[in-house]
Amino acid sequence: MHLLSSLLPSPSSYTHFPLSIDSPPKLFALGLSKDLPPLPLPNLRYPGCKLVGCGSAVPTLQISNDDLSKMVDTNDEWISVRTGIRRRRVLSGRDNLIALGVDASRKALEMAKVDPDDLDLILMCTSTPEDLFGSAPQIQKHLGCKANPLAYDITAACSGFVLGLISAACHIRGGGFRNVLVIGADALSRYVDWTDRGSCILFGDAAGAVLVQACDSEEDGLFGFDLHSDGSGQRHLNASIKEHESNTALDSNGSVLDFPPRKSSYSFIQMNGKEVFRFAVRCVPQSIESALEKAGLPASSIDWLLLHQANQRIIDAVAARLEVPSERVISNLANYGNTSAASIPLALDEAVRSGKVKAGQTIAAAGFGAGLTWGSAIIRWG
Ligand code: UT7
């Protein structure tokens, strides 16, 4: 993705780059060897992309801070002062993640006035798929897409949606895709240790979706982005594979066999909250500043700051560093907690439907979390 996006002209340079169907770009002029496999050509007709629809869905079961105080040694005051969270939605027997993703997707398609049959690509950003092999094809099936668009999952925890958005843009700009549905959906409640008061108070389940559509360069709505990973920070936040003992198998000579492998499952979420907090407050403002620089925009051009909804104190610290006043900061984590990859599209959807975010406004969106991964995108809504 990085290679592709670095090879493609930036949105602003498209206006100066004389591309046309009749004169395809000269890839060799970009320094590529003749021996390399061919790269997809930039989308010559529609070099831009814009966000034209959004939707969201949450489970029906609501758990308040008071409810949690009956399960672990905590209280509403501690949780709301330290995190800003008052309640969260959690999957129960009545819902599942695919259904939430489909519900959110239908709303986004309806707003965008795009038929499921006109989708070219579905990206399901989730770290908690209901099928280890991927959830996106199930979304495709339940939406009833007769054309069977390509559908696959992106796993990047709480940064998943931002990565999905940039992937959608790369597919559109570099691969000729027209309508890309980006879904952020997670059910971390399934991996939370409900006896650990240090982490169980944070998380909720939800899905959000955005329709990203190809457009002319003048309408392009992705101004700049910045993405990072640092695997050395994995110890601060993970839900890693756990091997379980199984009956030892012996070969015909009585020696212990390495095969069949032992049964595996994932551990509960392991988190060093303080380290994750420090990482977010340090890296997120830097990432947004870098994306703004690439976009050639000052921080004062941000109409809305839309961060991954993890902790109100993180949101406030990043806003203060970027000098974005609180009335231009989107926050809904009081009602939903940290919904991982869903948090940005969920908050965006609420802000759009309530009339807060209007067409043409500039949003600085940033995700951060396990991996570690983090990244930001400067986008225009509508
Ligand atoms: O998508 C990214 C996901 N992760 C995050 O965003 C996590 C970012 N980190 C945070 O949000 C915060 O670090 C937490 C909310 C997790 C914790 O807040 P904190 O201000 O860093 O608290 P702490 O861990 O330093 O704990 C302070 C005290 C401790 O007691 P002592 O040692 O001072 O007596 C904890 O045992 O608060 C205690 N504590 C609690 N008390 C009541 C920890 N959790 C709770 C709780 N209720 N739920």
Side-chain angles (χ1 to χ4, degrees):
M1 188 178 68
H2 281 299
L3 174 70
L4 182 58
S5 56
S6 65
L7 287 172
L8 297 178
S10 68
S12 55
S13 65
Y14 272 112
T15 48
H16 310 296
F17 196 44
L19 292 177
S20 77
I21 308 282
D22 302 328
S23 62
K26 292 181 177 57
L27 289 181
F28 297 126
L30 296 170
L32 295 174
S33 148
K34 268 195 300 207
D35 303 328
L36 287 176
L39 278 171
L41 292 178
N43 193 332
L44 303 180
R45 285 193 63 198
Y46 300 104
C49 59
K50 56 183 182 177
L51 284 67
V52 291
C54 58
S56 62
V58 293
T60 44
L61 179 63
Q62 181 168 286
I63 311 259
S64 69
N65 290 348
D66 285 337
D67 293 333
L68 281 181
S69 70
K70 292 172 194 136
M71 297 163 60
V72 287
D73 182 14
T74 190
N75 55 73
D76 177 49
E77 194 197 346
W78 193 98
I79 301 172
S80 46
V81 169
R82 299 268 180 158
T83 70
I85 299 165
R86 309 302 296 250
R87 54 195 77 84
R88 69 284 294 142
R89 301 296 186 97
V90 168
L91 283 183
S92 66
R94 290 189 293 278
D95 348 78
N96 63 66
L97 198 64
I98 298 286
L100 292 185
V102 170
D103 194 2
S105 299
R106 285 208 177 104
K107 290 171 185 163
L109 288 167
E110 199 178 317
M111 187 188 283
K113 298 187 175 56
V114 169
D115 194 275
D117 288 342
D118 292 329
L119 283 175
D120 302 309
L121 174 65
I122 299 172
L123 299 173
M124 172 72 160
C125 309
T126 184
S127 298
T128 53
E130 276 161 4
D131 182 335
L132 198 56
F133 298 144
S135 299
Q138 285 303 302
I139 304 265
Q140 179 220 61
K141 183 187 101 176
H142 288 288
L143 286 176
C145 307
K146 292 191 203 78
N148 283 359
L150 175 65
Y152 66 91
D153 287 15
I154 292 179
T155 304
C158 306
S159 308
F161 180 76
V162 171
L163 278 158
L165 206 55
I166 306 307
S167 302
C170 289
H171 277 286
I172 288 171
R173 290 176 181 171
F177 291 72
R178 296 285 312 276
N179 288 306
V180 182
L181 185 61
V182 184
I183 304 149
D186 263 312
L188 289 185
S189 68
R190 289 170 169 160
Y191 299 93
V192 160
D193 178 356
W194 290 101
T195 65
D196 173 19
R197 68 177 184 171
S199 61
C200 77
I201 51 134
L202 293 177
F203 300 105
D205 305 334
V210 164
L211 198 283
V212 186
Q213 195 167 60
C215 63
D216 293 335
S217 57
E218 301 82 57
E219 288 181 284
D220 188 77
L222 173 63
F223 302 135
F225 64 87
D226 175 72
L227 302 173
H228 299 270
S229 313
D230 176 9
S232 68
Q234 189 232 12
R235 65 189 185 283
H236 301 313
L237 184 54
N238 62 77
S240 302
I241 195 94
K242 231 172 38 171
E243 301 271 326
H244 301 283
E245 290 300 331
S246 61
N247 292 335
T248 309
L250 302 178
D251 69 11
S252 52
N253 299 322
S255 311
V256 176
L257 283 171
D258 283 340
F259 197 82
R262 290 177 289 182
K263 191 175 178 301
S264 305
S265 65
Y266 291 96
S267 71
F268 289 133
I269 294 170
Q270 315 284 322
M271 186 182 75
N272 180 335
K274 278 210 178 311
E275 283 299 331
V276 177
F277 194 103
R278 270 196 278 269
F279 141 72
V281 168
R282 189 181 68 250
C283 293
V284 174
Q286 285 171 2
S287 175
I288 294 175
E289 280 165 354
S290 164
L292 281 167
E293 200 183 317
K294 288 172 194 165
L297 293 171
S300 58
S301 66
I302 299 173
D303 292 307
W304 297 103
L305 182 64
L306 173 49
L307 303 185
H308 164 51
Q309 307 281 294
N311 184 317
Q312 191 60 44
R313 289 188 294 139
I314 295 176
I315 295 175
D316 293 344
V318 174
R321 162 87 184 269
L322 296 169
E323 296 180 5
V324 176
S326 56
E327 60 274 13
R328 287 202 269 130
V329 177
I330 296 172
S331 172
N332 70 349
L333 94 165
N335 291 328
Y336 304 107
N338 177 345
T339 57
S340 189
S343 83
I344 294 177
L346 172 64
L348 175 68
D349 185 47
E350 282 201 351
V352 167
R353 285 176 195 270
S354 68
K356 210 171 184 176
V357 169
K358 296 181 176 54
Q361 289 190 319
T362 301
I363 302 170
F368 55 91
L372 299 173
T373 53
W374 66 103
S376 49
I378 312 300
I379 51 182
R380 182 177 50 219
W381 172 251

